[in-house]
Amino acid sequence: AQSVTQLGSHVSVSEGALVLLRCNYSSSVPPYLFWYVQYPNQGLQLLLKYTSAATLVKGINGFEAEFKKSETSFHLTKPSAHMSDAAEYFCAVSEGTGGFKTIFGAGTRLFVKA
Amino acid sequence: DAGVIQSPRHEVTEMGQEVTLRCKPISGHDYLFWYRQTMMRGLELLIYFNNNVPIDDSGMPEDRFSAKMPNASFSTLKIQPSEPRDSAVYFCASSLGDRPFYGYTFGSGTRLTVV
């Protein structure tokens, strides 16, 4: 069975600082991995995806994530935080069955301080 | 395409009343998913459809919940009777089932409050 663990329910960084949001997954088959972002009172928006091509994946708004099979990790990073990055971020894993039924992590809320 | 469209955006109802949430998926998407989001339980998959057929409803909390997809462009999630513990944000998402998988497109959600 697949599962996702996000380390840290809240992360606070200063504007301009590195953003690092951690995600570890468990999957019995090579997974598809995703990061979604949710702004207040909105639905989830796809930030980036890993689909077994390049292990370093670039997404929207300057975010990127690296798939590390040996560590079963898919951490999300951004070199320089912006105030507009404040949101909740969800890591998710899908396997190739059931229409790619997706399991979401508990979410990490990112705070950006001026 | 206008994306996944959910209605209403907000619903306030009294305990015991019937509530119907609606979703229009992206045209051409063959999978539709209903999720519920709460602070305590996060995002929970309730049910999903493939080509309008319910495939897995194991996440539906109890018999008070039901979902239908009468055609490729419309789905409903119904709660009857509603209870305060049903208060949550309900999201609909759609996707293509082909490989490679590109993820879901979510609607803006329906915030349900049962008083």
Side-chain angles (χ1 to χ4, degrees):
Chain A
Q2 52 188 341
S3 66
V4 175
T5 302
Q6 291 185 241
L7 301 176
S9 58
H10 297 84
V11 170
S12 182
V13 300
S14 298
E15 193 173 22
L18 171 72
V19 175
L20 171 60
L21 305 182
R22 299 178 188 272
C23 172
N24 288 90
Y25 70 92
S26 173
S27 176
S28 57
V29 299
Y32 292 95
L33 295 163
F34 302 86
W35 278 97
Y36 288 83
V37 59
Q38 185 179 30
Y39 298 101
N41 300 313
Q42 295 187 24
L44 279 71
Q45 177 184 356
L46 184 63
L47 198 57
L48 52 78
K49 58 187 178 289
Y50 167 76
T51 57
S52 76
T55 56
L56 182 62
V57 180
K58 295 186 184 299
I60 61 173
N61 301 336
F63 284 93
E64 62 182 36
E66 186 171 8
F67 171 67
K68 291 187 176 180
K69 183 178 179 180
S70 60
E71 299 177 9
T72 60
S73 69
F74 191 57
H75 302 330
L76 181 70
T77 60
K78 182 175 180 177
S80 176
H82 192 273
M83 296 295 287
S84 61
D85 295 327
E88 186 147 22
Y89 293 79
F90 294 89
C91 183
V93 61
S94 302
E95 295 180 348
T97 58
F100 302 96
K101 190 167 65 175
T102 298
I103 303 300
F104 289 86
T108 298
R109 185 166 294 279
L110 176 65
F111 298 91
V112 182
K113 299 175 291 186
Chain B
D1 201 317
V4 176
I5 300 173
Q6 291 187 246
S7 64
R9 285 298 308 272
H10 302 274
E11 178 78 46
V12 180
T13 190
E14 292 186 348
M15 182 173 62
Q17 296 298 306
E18 177 180 296
V19 175
T20 299
L21 312 181
R22 297 172 177 79
C23 175
K24 176 180 167 56
I26 288 179
S27 176
H29 280 191
D30 53 349
Y31 282 87
L32 183 141
F33 300 80
W34 282 99
Y35 281 85
R36 177 172 68 174
Q37 186 179 38
T38 61
M39 290 290 293
M40 292 297 295
R41 302 174 70 91
L43 275 160
E44 302 174 275
L45 176 63
L46 301 178
I47 185 172
Y48 76 94
F49 296 81
N50 175 218
N51 291 325
N52 315 334
V53 176
I55 303 300
D56 183 352
D57 65 354
S58 60
M60 297 285 260
E62 46 198 278
D63 293 345
R64 297 184 297 106
F65 286 69
S66 63
K68 294 181 179 180
M69 192 166 185
N71 57 62
S73 59
F74 184 65
S75 178
T76 60
L77 179 67
K78 185 176 294 186
I79 308 173
Q80 165 65 18
S82 58
E83 297 183 4
R85 59 193 167 120
D86 302 330
S87 296
V89 181
Y90 291 81
F91 287 104
C92 175
S94 70
S95 70
L96 284 169
D98 296 335
R99 294 178 186 274
F101 176 53
Y102 289 116
Y104 294 167
T105 302
F106 279 83
S108 297
T110 296
R111 182 174 296 276
L112 173 65
T113 304
V114 183
V115 298

